[in-house]
Structures are given as C-alpha cells and as structure tokens.
Amino acid sequence: MLFDHPCSNKNDAFLSRTMAQAEQCRVSAVDCRRNANVQVPCSSIAYSNSSLKRQAHYVMCRPQHFAVQYSINPWMNPDAWAANACILTQAAGLQWQRLYDALLTQGAQVEIFEAAPDLPDLVFTANAAVVVDRKALLARFRHPQRRLEEPVFARALHHMRLQGALDVVEEFPKDLVLEGAGDCIWDRERNHFWLGFGQRSDRASQQAIVDFFESDCVALELADPRFYHLDTAFCPLPFGEIIYYPAAFTDAARRAIENRVPPSRQILLGEEDAAKFAANSIAFGRLILMSSCSTKLRRQLEERQYTVIATPLHAFLRAGGSACCLTLRIDHKRSAAPCLESATSHAPTAAP
Ligand code: ARG
C-alpha cells in the first residue's frame, strides 16, 4: 500500500499534544467520554441561532459514542483504536467541536441530534439520507453494524420535518442499498446528482434517485476499497470545479467525469492529499473546510478564489471519515434551469 495507514498518524501534532495532556492528567476512560461530550446543549435536536442569515444548513451528531469498534473499511482498526481509546475519544470530541465552531463562525446553520450508545458511526451524518428540495430519502446501509443507525437517522429527520426544516422524509426501497449523501452528491452547478457505486451503494439506486427527486443522476463506479464512498474521493465545489482523486474510479467513471467537467474545472488530487481525505471537504460559498491541505492544493484552490480552512479531523480518519462525512447538508435546491448534461438515456431532466 502506498499510503501510510492512518493509524500511524506520524505527523499528528494535535493528537500528540492531546496525548501528552491526557497522560499528564491521567484521565480515566469515563473522563474521556465526558470530554468528548462537548459543550453544545443537547436536547433531541438543538437548533442553532438562526436569526443570522445563514448560507448553508447542516445536520451533525456529536461524537460522544464515536469509536472504532468494528472494521468495515480499510481505515478501521479496532485494536489500534483500543490501544489509545481514551486519548482518541478526547481528540475526536475536540476536533468535532472545532469543525462545528468553524461552521457556525463562517455563517452556516447547524442542527444537532443526539448520539446513541453502541452506534459509533452515527456521527457520520452524511450517510443519513440524500436531501434536496426539502425532500429526504433515507439511507439503506450495506453492513449490519450500520443498519442499526437507520431508525435513529429516520427519527432525527422526521423530527426536523415536524420542526419545519424538511417537507418529505421517505424510506429507501427495501431491496436496494444507498448510503445517503456519502454516495449520492448533489452538484449545484450542474443541477444533478453524482452517485458512487460498487463499494457500498448499488448501481440500481440510480433509478430510485431519479424517480424520487426527478433529477438526473450520473453513476460513477468506485475502484479502490480505501475510497469506499464517493465523498471520500470526489467533491463538487459551489462554482463548478470538481476536486477528485482519479485512481479511486474505474476508467469508465473517469471518462464520465471528463465528459462532463472541462479540464480547467478539474482539480486532481495527488496521493498524499487523497489519503488525508482532502476530497472529503465541506464547501459553501467561497469556503472549503477540510482536515488538512497540501500547499499545492491550497494554491490551486486559492487561485480559483476559494478560501481553505484546515481543521484537523485525524481521529475520524481512523474510521474512514472526515469533514464532509460529519455533516449532512439539507438546504440544497435544484435550480429552475433545465439540466444540460443528461446523465443516462432514461433519466428525466430536472423539472423547470
Ligand atoms: N466508518 C464509517 C463507514 O465505514 C465511515 C463513514 C464515513 N462516511 C462517509 N460519508 N464517507 O461506514
């Protein structure tokens, strides 16, 4: 394998600082859990101050039960987690809080729903559902460990519907797997979805998306188990550029991207950025939040008038996740203009 396994985390200054602090204080596992339980008030859903005009609207779940307890992707090593569980739990709490704070500071609105014991991956809310035009299509998971999250995500989104943040929340067809916005990403500029399939989600989910949202959906086959969700290797930016890691895709999928995105709008990741999940970014307006960013990538993004905020999320990389996975955006809207780039011959174009 060309990449350092994330558990090595050689350069994680933040984590070593946290380790040193924790060792000094001899914090117990219980204290660590408490520390991970960061200061955001928690009712079943906590609504953030929405009196400001917020530019993007997200759902997150605090990481107080986050851990690596099983392995369903190559990044997850429960033994390595267990060896430093206390420190890593504490790091996850702090890193999550910094991401949350950065989103609020930069003008996003964030809803929080309560974490649940024994669901360590619930923190990855991108996998809860696909949401566009105030309609949510709930996820169906491939692995039994994550299937247990389905009713919790369903409850949280129905609660949001009752609070007026969504109009429709619907179940995904029983015989298909689609792991929410982790594998089905809205491209605001092109006015269609991109679907990742072949690792977690089924290709046949494409039609379910087209039918439910009445919007086009371009299917891309994923080729590398390390990039098992589309959002680990692919990120459409608000002004039409796409950040992606070509080696994560089959030849056909690369061609599908190249046919729709002119070279000037393709931002190709090198191995190093890809392995740090730079594609797993949160982008709204001219802002891009990610765990870490090489000088070269930062330059490429700044040349295109984006501002990069790096907020370390190494503890989550141990579960195969990063910034984008920790959020579910719920305010995407189709534009009124018809979609020019048809995804499949059978797919209807977006309604006017
Ligand atoms: N451990 C989780 C899994 O393997 C991580 C999910 C990350 N989410 C994402 N949208 N990429 O399912």
Side-chain angles (χ1 to χ4, degrees), residues 130-169:
V130 181
V131 186
V132 168
D133 283 345
R134 296 172 55 89
K135 290 165 60 173
L137 191 53
L138 292 164
R140 171 107 40 241
F141 286 92
R142 179 156 310 278
H143 295 291
Q145 294 94 331
R146 293 212 67 188
R147 242 173 258 152
L148 300 170
E149 297 171 32
E150 289 172 14
V152 184
F153 283 141
R155 256 199 315 279
L157 292 186
H158 276 293
H159 186 94
M160 294 190 61
R161 180 178 55 80
L162 295 172
Q163 300 285 326
L166 298 170
D167 293 332
V168 178
V169 177

mmCIF file of all heavy atoms in Angstrom, residues 130-169:
data_model
loop_
_atom_site.group_PDB
_atom_site.id
_atom_site.type_symbol
_atom_site.label_atom_id
_atom_site.label_comp_id
_atom_site.label_asym_id
_atom_site.label_seq_id
_atom_site.Cartn_x
_atom_site.Cartn_y
_atom_site.Cartn_z
ATOM 1 N N VAL A 130 -30.243 11.313 1.524
ATOM 2 C CA VAL A 130 -29.957 12.261 0.444
ATOM 3 C C VAL A 130 -31.051 13.322 0.557
ATOM 4 O O VAL A 130 -32.234 12.975 0.656
ATOM 5 C CB VAL A 130 -30.043 11.569 -0.932
ATOM 6 C CG1 VAL A 130 -29.725 12.558 -2.049
ATOM 7 C CG2 VAL A 130 -29.106 10.368 -0.988
ATOM 8 N N VAL A 131 -30.656 14.592 0.575
ATOM 9 C CA VAL A 131 -31.651 15.654 0.779
ATOM 10 C C VAL A 131 -31.486 16.756 -0.268
ATOM 11 O O VAL A 131 -30.417 17.351 -0.391
ATOM 12 C CB VAL A 131 -31.511 16.297 2.184
ATOM 13 C CG1 VAL A 131 -32.656 17.293 2.422
ATOM 14 C CG2 VAL A 131 -31.479 15.255 3.286
ATOM 15 N N VAL A 132 -32.535 16.992 -1.030
ATOM 16 C CA VAL A 132 -32.576 18.120 -1.973
ATOM 17 C C VAL A 132 -34.024 18.616 -2.030
ATOM 18 O O VAL A 132 -34.961 17.794 -1.930
ATOM 19 C CB VAL A 132 -32.085 17.699 -3.384
ATOM 20 C CG1 VAL A 132 -32.403 18.775 -4.432
ATOM 21 C CG2 VAL A 132 -30.579 17.449 -3.383
ATOM 22 N N ASP A 133 -34.207 19.897 -2.200
ATOM 23 C CA ASP A 133 -35.545 20.487 -2.306
ATOM 24 C C ASP A 133 -36.423 20.137 -1.102
ATOM 25 O O ASP A 133 -37.623 19.864 -1.251
ATOM 26 C CB ASP A 133 -36.259 19.996 -3.591
ATOM 27 C CG ASP A 133 -35.733 20.706 -4.826
ATOM 28 O OD1 ASP A 133 -35.048 21.737 -4.684
ATOM 29 O OD2 ASP A 133 -36.033 20.226 -5.934
ATOM 30 N N ARG A 134 -35.825 20.075 0.078
ATOM 31 C CA ARG A 134 -36.537 19.795 1.338
ATOM 32 C C ARG A 134 -37.139 18.376 1.378
ATOM 33 O O ARG A 134 -37.998 18.076 2.197
ATOM 34 C CB ARG A 134 -37.634 20.853 1.596
ATOM 35 C CG ARG A 134 -37.058 22.261 1.791
ATOM 36 C CD ARG A 134 -38.137 23.320 1.852
ATOM 37 N NE ARG A 134 -39.137 23.039 2.858
ATOM 38 C CZ ARG A 134 -39.073 23.429 4.137
ATOM 39 N NH1 ARG A 134 -38.029 24.140 4.553
ATOM 40 N NH2 ARG A 134 -40.027 23.128 4.971
ATOM 41 N N LYS A 135 -36.660 17.510 0.458
ATOM 42 C CA LYS A 135 -37.114 16.114 0.441
ATOM 43 C C LYS A 135 -35.943 15.220 0.838
ATOM 44 O O LYS A 135 -34.870 15.327 0.246
ATOM 45 C CB LYS A 135 -37.557 15.716 -0.969
ATOM 46 C CG LYS A 135 -38.840 16.379 -1.415
ATOM 47 C CD LYS A 135 -39.033 16.249 -2.922
ATOM 48 C CE LYS A 135 -39.106 14.809 -3.383
ATOM 49 N NZ LYS A 135 -39.456 14.698 -4.831
ATOM 50 N N ALA A 136 -36.158 14.348 1.813
ATOM 51 C CA ALA A 136 -35.082 13.460 2.269
ATOM 52 C C ALA A 136 -35.417 12.020 1.924
ATOM 53 O O ALA A 136 -36.516 11.535 2.217
ATOM 54 C CB ALA A 136 -34.907 13.593 3.776
ATOM 55 N N LEU A 137 -34.465 11.352 1.293
ATOM 56 C CA LEU A 137 -34.599 9.926 1.011
ATOM 57 C C LEU A 137 -33.613 9.218 1.952
ATOM 58 O O LEU A 137 -32.392 9.374 1.822
ATOM 59 C CB LEU A 137 -34.257 9.671 -0.457
ATOM 60 C CG LEU A 137 -34.570 8.288 -1.019
ATOM 61 C CD1 LEU A 137 -36.028 7.880 -0.789
ATOM 62 C CD2 LEU A 137 -34.261 8.244 -2.524
ATOM 63 N N LEU A 138 -34.165 8.477 2.904
ATOM 64 C CA LEU A 138 -33.336 7.888 3.957
ATOM 65 C C LEU A 138 -32.395 6.822 3.406
ATOM 66 O O LEU A 138 -32.722 6.143 2.430
ATOM 67 C CB LEU A 138 -34.234 7.258 5.026
ATOM 68 C CG LEU A 138 -35.051 8.266 5.856
ATOM 69 C CD1 LEU A 138 -36.175 7.557 6.609
ATOM 70 C CD2 LEU A 138 -34.139 9.015 6.828
ATOM 71 N N ALA A 139 -31.260 6.662 4.073
ATOM 72 C CA ALA A 139 -30.254 5.699 3.609
ATOM 73 C C ALA A 139 -30.645 4.270 3.949
ATOM 74 O O ALA A 139 -31.406 4.013 4.883
ATOM 75 C CB ALA A 139 -28.917 6.016 4.271
ATOM 76 N N ARG A 140 -30.098 3.376 3.142
ATOM 77 C CA ARG A 140 -30.151 1.944 3.490
ATOM 78 C C ARG A 140 -28.701 1.477 3.450
ATOM 79 O O ARG A 140 -28.004 1.665 2.457
ATOM 80 C CB ARG A 140 -31.004 1.211 2.467
ATOM 81 C CG ARG A 140 -30.969 -0.242 2.569
ATOM 82 C CD ARG A 140 -32.222 -0.921 3.125
ATOM 83 N NE ARG A 140 -33.475 -0.381 2.682
ATOM 84 C CZ ARG A 140 -34.390 0.145 3.524
ATOM 85 N NH1 ARG A 140 -34.179 0.176 4.810
ATOM 86 N NH2 ARG A 140 -35.519 0.605 3.041
ATOM 87 N N PHE A 141 -28.224 0.876 4.560
ATOM 88 C CA PHE A 141 -26.795 0.536 4.681
ATOM 89 C C PHE A 141 -26.500 -0.887 4.242
ATOM 90 O O PHE A 141 -27.345 -1.769 4.340
ATOM 91 C CB PHE A 141 -26.338 0.720 6.134
ATOM 92 C CG PHE A 141 -26.204 2.162 6.523
ATOM 93 C CD1 PHE A 141 -27.274 2.839 7.106
ATOM 94 C CD2 PHE A 141 -25.033 2.852 6.293
ATOM 95 C CE1 PHE A 141 -27.163 4.176 7.447
ATOM 96 C CE2 PHE A 141 -24.907 4.190 6.633
ATOM 97 C CZ PHE A 141 -25.979 4.849 7.220
ATOM 98 N N ARG A 142 -25.267 -1.091 3.792
ATOM 99 C CA ARG A 142 -24.836 -2.419 3.379
ATOM 100 C C ARG A 142 -24.503 -3.293 4.592
ATOM 101 O O ARG A 142 -24.908 -4.440 4.671
ATOM 102 C CB ARG A 142 -23.592 -2.322 2.462
ATOM 103 C CG ARG A 142 -23.076 -3.684 2.011
ATOM 104 C CD ARG A 142 -22.279 -3.644 0.720
ATOM 105 N NE ARG A 142 -22.921 -2.949 -0.368
ATOM 106 C CZ ARG A 142 -23.849 -3.476 -1.177
ATOM 107 N NH1 ARG A 142 -24.256 -4.720 -1.005
ATOM 108 N NH2 ARG A 142 -24.381 -2.752 -2.145
ATOM 109 N N HIS A 143 -23.774 -2.740 5.557
ATOM 110 C CA HIS A 143 -23.280 -3.573 6.662
ATOM 111 C C HIS A 143 -24.261 -3.568 7.843
ATOM 112 O O HIS A 143 -24.798 -2.522 8.197
ATOM 113 C CB HIS A 143 -21.917 -3.054 7.135
ATOM 114 C CG HIS A 143 -20.860 -3.193 6.080
ATOM 115 N ND1 HIS A 143 -20.383 -4.417 5.674
ATOM 116 C CD2 HIS A 143 -20.209 -2.264 5.344
ATOM 117 C CE1 HIS A 143 -19.466 -4.235 4.731
ATOM 118 N NE2 HIS A 143 -19.346 -2.939 4.506
ATOM 119 N N PRO A 144 -24.419 -4.747 8.460
ATOM 120 C CA PRO A 144 -25.376 -4.833 9.582
ATOM 121 C C PRO A 144 -25.044 -3.855 10.702
ATOM 122 O O PRO A 144 -25.955 -3.306 11.338
ATOM 123 C CB PRO A 144 -25.249 -6.280 10.075
ATOM 124 C CG PRO A 144 -24.153 -6.912 9.291
ATOM 125 C CD PRO A 144 -23.802 -6.039 8.133
ATOM 126 N N GLN A 145 -23.751 -3.603 10.922
ATOM 127 C CA GLN A 145 -23.379 -2.675 12.010
ATOM 128 C C GLN A 145 -24.006 -1.306 11.797
ATOM 129 O O GLN A 145 -24.415 -0.644 12.738
ATOM 130 C CB GLN A 145 -21.852 -2.496 12.068
ATOM 131 C CG GLN A 145 -21.080 -3.744 12.464
ATOM 132 C CD GLN A 145 -20.617 -4.533 11.247
ATOM 133 O OE1 GLN A 145 -21.244 -4.502 10.186
ATOM 134 N NE2 GLN A 145 -19.531 -5.269 11.401
ATOM 135 N N ARG A 146 -24.057 -0.867 10.540
ATOM 136 C CA ARG A 146 -24.583 0.479 10.289
ATOM 137 C C ARG A 146 -26.091 0.466 10.025
ATOM 138 O O ARG A 146 -26.735 1.496 10.122
ATOM 139 C CB ARG A 146 -23.818 1.162 9.148
ATOM 140 C CG ARG A 146 -22.363 1.456 9.521
ATOM 141 C CD ARG A 146 -21.815 2.699 8.881
ATOM 142 N NE ARG A 146 -22.454 3.919 9.360
ATOM 143 C CZ ARG A 146 -22.249 5.138 8.845
ATOM 144 N NH1 ARG A 146 -21.414 5.289 7.840
ATOM 145 N NH2 ARG A 146 -22.865 6.194 9.330
ATOM 146 N N ARG A 147 -26.620 -0.713 9.716
ATOM 147 C CA ARG A 147 -28.074 -0.771 9.511
ATOM 148 C C ARG A 147 -28.822 -0.374 10.785
ATOM 149 O O ARG A 147 -29.921 0.153 10.743
ATOM 150 C CB ARG A 147 -28.480 -2.183 9.081
ATOM 151 C CG ARG A 147 -29.091 -2.181 7.696
ATOM 152 C CD ARG A 147 -29.334 -3.566 7.196
ATOM 153 N NE ARG A 147 -28.303 -3.944 6.257
ATOM 154 C CZ ARG A 147 -27.893 -5.179 6.017
ATOM 155 N NH1 ARG A 147 -28.420 -6.200 6.686
ATOM 156 N NH2 ARG A 147 -26.965 -5.411 5.125
ATOM 157 N N LEU A 148 -28.159 -0.607 11.926
ATOM 158 C CA LEU A 148 -28.780 -0.253 13.208
ATOM 159 C C LEU A 148 -28.993 1.259 13.338
ATOM 160 O O LEU A 148 -29.775 1.716 14.158
ATOM 161 C CB LEU A 148 -27.891 -0.733 14.374
ATOM 162 C CG LEU A 148 -27.628 -2.239 14.419
ATOM 163 C CD1 LEU A 148 -26.553 -2.563 15.439
ATOM 164 C CD2 LEU A 148 -28.937 -2.973 14.737
ATOM 165 N N GLU A 149 -28.279 2.033 12.519
ATOM 166 C CA GLU A 149 -28.434 3.504 12.584
ATOM 167 C C GLU A 149 -29.695 3.983 11.857
ATOM 168 O O GLU A 149 -30.133 5.113 12.071
ATOM 169 C CB GLU A 149 -27.216 4.195 11.947
ATOM 170 C CG GLU A 149 -25.909 3.923 12.659
ATOM 171 C CD GLU A 149 -24.723 4.445 11.848
ATOM 172 O OE1 GLU A 149 -24.861 5.459 11.148
ATOM 173 O OE2 GLU A 149 -23.655 3.816 11.901
ATOM 174 N N GLU A 150 -30.227 3.141 10.989
ATOM 175 C CA GLU A 150 -31.321 3.615 10.120
ATOM 176 C C GLU A 150 -32.495 4.211 10.905
ATOM 177 O O GLU A 150 -32.943 5.318 10.595
ATOM 178 C CB GLU A 150 -31.781 2.489 9.179
ATOM 179 C CG GLU A 150 -30.751 2.189 8.102
ATOM 180 C CD GLU A 150 -31.083 0.953 7.266
ATOM 181 O OE1 GLU A 150 -32.240 0.467 7.327
ATOM 182 O OE2 GLU A 150 -30.181 0.456 6.547
ATOM 183 N N PRO A 151 -33.003 3.499 11.961
ATOM 184 C CA PRO A 151 -34.143 4.095 12.681
ATOM 185 C C PRO A 151 -33.780 5.390 13.411
ATOM 186 O O PRO A 151 -34.637 6.273 13.560
ATOM 187 C CB PRO A 151 -34.559 3.006 13.684
ATOM 188 C CG PRO A 151 -33.487 1.977 13.657
ATOM 189 C CD PRO A 151 -32.687 2.133 12.409
ATOM 190 N N VAL A 152 -32.519 5.513 13.815
ATOM 191 C CA VAL A 152 -32.119 6.734 14.547
ATOM 192 C C VAL A 152 -32.071 7.919 13.586
ATOM 193 O O VAL A 152 -32.576 9.007 13.880
ATOM 194 C CB VAL A 152 -30.744 6.531 15.241
ATOM 195 C CG1 VAL A 152 -30.384 7.752 16.075
ATOM 196 C CG2 VAL A 152 -30.756 5.274 16.082
ATOM 197 N N PHE A 153 -31.483 7.707 12.407
ATOM 198 C CA PHE A 153 -31.471 8.774 11.395
ATOM 199 C C PHE A 153 -32.917 9.118 10.989
ATOM 200 O O PHE A 153 -33.258 10.296 10.809
ATOM 201 C CB PHE A 153 -30.678 8.344 10.158
ATOM 202 C CG PHE A 153 -29.174 8.403 10.329
ATOM 203 C CD1 PHE A 153 -28.354 7.414 9.789
ATOM 204 C CD2 PHE A 153 -28.562 9.469 10.988
ATOM 205 C CE1 PHE A 153 -26.962 7.475 9.913
ATOM 206 C CE2 PHE A 153 -27.167 9.543 11.111
ATOM 207 C CZ PHE A 153 -26.373 8.545 10.577
ATOM 208 N N ALA A 154 -33.734 8.083 10.845
ATOM 209 C CA ALA A 154 -35.132 8.330 10.432
ATOM 210 C C ALA A 154 -35.835 9.199 11.477
ATOM 211 O O ALA A 154 -36.497 10.187 11.132
ATOM 212 C CB ALA A 154 -35.870 7.005 10.256
ATOM 213 N N ARG A 155 -35.651 8.860 12.749
ATOM 214 C CA ARG A 155 -36.292 9.662 13.819
ATOM 215 C C ARG A 155 -35.812 11.104 13.770
ATOM 216 O O ARG A 155 -36.596 12.039 13.858
ATOM 217 C CB ARG A 155 -35.955 9.053 15.184
ATOM 218 C CG ARG A 155 -37.107 8.267 15.796
ATOM 219 C CD ARG A 155 -36.963 8.048 17.283
ATOM 220 N NE ARG A 155 -35.652 7.624 17.744
ATOM 221 C CZ ARG A 155 -35.195 6.375 17.704
ATOM 222 N NH1 ARG A 155 -35.954 5.418 17.188
ATOM 223 N NH2 ARG A 155 -34.005 6.081 18.160
ATOM 224 N N ALA A 156 -34.495 11.287 13.623
ATOM 225 C CA ALA A 156 -33.930 12.644 13.638
ATOM 226 C C ALA A 156 -34.496 13.472 12.471
ATOM 227 O O ALA A 156 -34.872 14.630 12.643
ATOM 228 C CB ALA A 156 -32.413 12.584 13.565
ATOM 229 N N LEU A 157 -34.587 12.861 11.285
ATOM 230 C CA LEU A 157 -35.055 13.635 10.127
ATOM 231 C C LEU A 157 -36.567 13.879 10.184
ATOM 232 O O LEU A 157 -37.044 14.939 9.784
ATOM 233 C CB LEU A 157 -34.637 12.950 8.825
ATOM 234 C CG LEU A 157 -33.106 12.969 8.579
ATOM 235 C CD1 LEU A 157 -32.773 12.415 7.210
ATOM 236 C CD2 LEU A 157 -32.515 14.362 8.695
ATOM 237 N N HIS A 158 -37.307 12.902 10.729
ATOM 238 C CA HIS A 158 -38.751 13.151 10.907
ATOM 239 C C HIS A 158 -38.964 14.281 11.909
ATOM 240 O O HIS A 158 -39.851 15.113 11.744
ATOM 241 C CB HIS A 158 -39.474 11.886 11.359
ATOM 242 C CG HIS A 158 -39.843 10.996 10.190
ATOM 243 N ND1 HIS A 158 -40.776 11.381 9.246
ATOM 244 C CD2 HIS A 158 -39.396 9.778 9.799
ATOM 245 C CE1 HIS A 158 -40.886 10.431 8.321
ATOM 246 N NE2 HIS A 158 -40.050 9.452 8.634
ATOM 247 N N HIS A 159 -38.146 14.301 12.932
ATOM 248 C CA HIS A 159 -38.228 15.385 13.908
ATOM 249 C C HIS A 159 -37.984 16.729 13.214
ATOM 250 O O HIS A 159 -38.705 17.704 13.449
ATOM 251 C CB HIS A 159 -37.195 15.152 15.019
ATOM 252 C CG HIS A 159 -37.306 16.136 16.141
ATOM 253 N ND1 HIS A 159 -38.040 15.901 17.282
ATOM 254 C CD2 HIS A 159 -36.787 17.375 16.283
ATOM 255 C CE1 HIS A 159 -37.971 16.961 18.072
ATOM 256 N NE2 HIS A 159 -37.200 17.877 17.494
ATOM 257 N N MET A 160 -37.013 16.754 12.334
ATOM 258 C CA MET A 160 -36.725 18.002 11.609
ATOM 259 C C MET A 160 -37.880 18.385 10.693
ATOM 260 O O MET A 160 -38.168 19.555 10.491
ATOM 261 C CB MET A 160 -35.438 17.858 10.810
ATOM 262 C CG MET A 160 -34.260 17.700 11.746
ATOM 263 S SD MET A 160 -32.737 17.820 10.883
ATOM 264 C CE MET A 160 -32.900 19.448 10.256
ATOM 265 N N ARG A 161 -38.538 17.381 10.137
ATOM 266 C CA ARG A 161 -39.712 17.666 9.308
ATOM 267 C C ARG A 161 -40.809 18.307 10.169
ATOM 268 O O ARG A 161 -41.397 19.321 9.807
ATOM 269 C CB ARG A 161 -40.216 16.356 8.673
ATOM 270 C CG ARG A 161 -41.439 16.514 7.780
ATOM 271 C CD ARG A 161 -41.859 15.187 7.157
ATOM 272 N NE ARG A 161 -42.100 14.135 8.145
ATOM 273 C CZ ARG A 161 -43.208 14.005 8.847
ATOM 274 N NH1 ARG A 161 -44.221 14.823 8.679
ATOM 275 N NH2 ARG A 161 -43.333 13.018 9.734
ATOM 276 N N LEU A 162 -41.008 17.741 11.349
ATOM 277 C CA LEU A 162 -42.046 18.304 12.226
ATOM 278 C C LEU A 162 -41.690 19.723 12.666
ATOM 279 O O LEU A 162 -42.570 20.546 12.909
ATOM 280 C CB LEU A 162 -42.249 17.394 13.455
ATOM 281 C CG LEU A 162 -42.811 16.008 13.102
ATOM 282 C CD1 LEU A 162 -42.814 15.086 14.308
ATOM 283 C CD2 LEU A 162 -44.229 16.135 12.515
ATOM 284 N N GLN A 163 -40.399 20.006 12.741
ATOM 285 C CA GLN A 163 -39.950 21.357 13.112
ATOM 286 C C GLN A 163 -39.980 22.317 11.916
ATOM 287 O O GLN A 163 -39.637 23.479 12.044
ATOM 288 C CB GLN A 163 -38.510 21.317 13.641
ATOM 289 C CG GLN A 163 -38.301 20.452 14.861
ATOM 290 C CD GLN A 163 -38.846 21.101 16.120
ATOM 291 O OE1 GLN A 163 -38.808 22.311 16.252
ATOM 292 N NE2 GLN A 163 -39.380 20.283 17.017
ATOM 293 N N GLY A 164 -40.288 21.795 10.725
ATOM 294 C CA GLY A 164 -40.422 22.669 9.560
ATOM 295 C C GLY A 164 -39.183 22.791 8.692
ATOM 296 O O GLY A 164 -39.171 23.572 7.742
ATOM 297 N N ALA A 165 -38.123 22.019 8.999
ATOM 298 C CA ALA A 165 -36.895 22.152 8.200
ATOM 299 C C ALA A 165 -36.955 21.305 6.913
ATOM 300 O O ALA A 165 -36.180 21.527 5.985
ATOM 301 C CB ALA A 165 -35.682 21.734 9.028
ATOM 302 N N LEU A 166 -37.846 20.316 6.873
ATOM 303 C CA LEU A 166 -37.988 19.441 5.694
ATOM 304 C C LEU A 166 -39.480 19.264 5.404
ATOM 305 O O LEU A 166 -40.307 19.391 6.305
ATOM 306 C CB LEU A 166 -37.382 18.057 5.978
ATOM 307 C CG LEU A 166 -35.888 17.994 6.284
ATOM 308 C CD1 LEU A 166 -35.509 16.586 6.774
ATOM 309 C CD2 LEU A 166 -35.084 18.333 5.034
ATOM 310 N N ASP A 167 -39.799 18.926 4.150
ATOM 311 C CA ASP A 167 -41.204 18.670 3.804
ATOM 312 C C ASP A 167 -41.528 17.180 3.757
ATOM 313 O O ASP A 167 -42.617 16.765 4.118
ATOM 314 C CB ASP A 167 -41.526 19.262 2.413
ATOM 315 C CG ASP A 167 -41.452 20.775 2.426
ATOM 316 O OD1 ASP A 167 -41.686 21.380 3.495
ATOM 317 O OD2 ASP A 167 -41.118 21.357 1.378
ATOM 318 N N VAL A 168 -40.569 16.394 3.243
ATOM 319 C CA VAL A 168 -40.837 14.973 2.996
ATOM 320 C C VAL A 168 -39.653 14.150 3.504
ATOM 321 O O VAL A 168 -38.508 14.517 3.265
ATOM 322 C CB VAL A 168 -40.979 14.714 1.469
ATOM 323 C CG1 VAL A 168 -41.206 13.236 1.175
ATOM 324 C CG2 VAL A 168 -42.083 15.561 0.857
ATOM 325 N N VAL A 169 -39.954 13.071 4.205
ATOM 326 C CA VAL A 169 -38.893 12.117 4.592
ATOM 327 C C VAL A 169 -39.392 10.746 4.191
ATOM 328 O O VAL A 169 -40.444 10.300 4.662
ATOM 329 C CB VAL A 169 -38.613 12.157 6.114
ATOM 330 C CG1 VAL A 169 -37.568 11.113 6.494
ATOM 331 C CG2 VAL A 169 -38.169 13.552 6.542
#
